[in-house]
Amino acid sequence: MTFDEEWARLRERAADRSSTRLNTASAPGSGGGGGAGGGTVGAADSDLSVNRDDLGAIGHDAYEVRTRLSRDGDHARPATFDAAIALTNESFVSGAALLKVHDRWNTQLRTLLDACAQISNHLNYTEAAHAKDDAQIAGDLISVSRLNQYLK
């Protein structure tokens, strides 16, 4: 199966799941909370859950990629720079071109390193923010018996 076929199949499955969730969440009396008879939370709410282990694993992987990339991506820089200077000093036109490649590589490498750091940092922030939100929500919960009193 080609990538395009696989991608189309996955999009179709996601669209089917999405429309099913929307229908059950909004149908009156379906238990999705959308109508007068709905008293439970529907399946759509499971989309809002965050697994801290997953966030931590992805953040750790981004950190590992950044660490390896900073080491391995910079491996040839000194030799490339020395070769570019040597070629330029000997009046080879390719020296200036090699120096341009060297500079472009460094720029792209730094951009990629920054992106990996942002991913890792953002996931750490997200994990902490969700923990704070969960603690606040847990403190704000009302007991079921109290909710029943409001509904009467």
Side-chain angles (χ1 to χ4, degrees), residues 94-130:
S94 59
L98 188 56
L99 188 58
K100 191 180 282 189
V101 169
H102 168 271
D103 294 344
R104 179 66 56 94
W105 177 264
N106 282 335
T107 301
Q108 296 297 324
L109 178 62
R110 298 294 162 233
T111 301
L112 191 53
L113 288 170
D114 289 345
C116 288
Q118 284 182 335
I119 290 168
S120 180
N121 291 340
H122 180 71
L123 289 172
N124 289 338
Y125 170 80
T126 300
E127 185 177 3
H130 281 292

Side-chain angles (χ1 to χ4, degrees), residues 55-69 112-113 115-121 123:
L55 288 178
I58 294 168
H60 177 72
D61 288 346
Y63 177 78
E64 290 290 319
V65 167
R66 185 189 185 289
T67 302
R68 288 192 60 209
L69 186 60
L112 191 53
L113 288 170
C116 288
Q118 284 182 335
I119 290 168
S120 180
N121 291 340
L123 289 172

Side-chain angles (χ1 to χ4, degrees), residues 139-152:
D140 293 343
L141 290 179
I142 300 174
S143 68
V144 174
S145 60
R146 186 96 184 258
L147 286 174
N148 285 333
Q149 289 175 353
Y150 287 128
L151 294 174
K152 289 183 182 180

Side-chain angles (χ1 to χ4, degrees), residues 16-29:
D16 289 344
R17 280 197 319 261
S18 178
S19 67
T20 301
R21 283 190 197 135
L22 289 175
N23 289 337
T24 58
S26 61

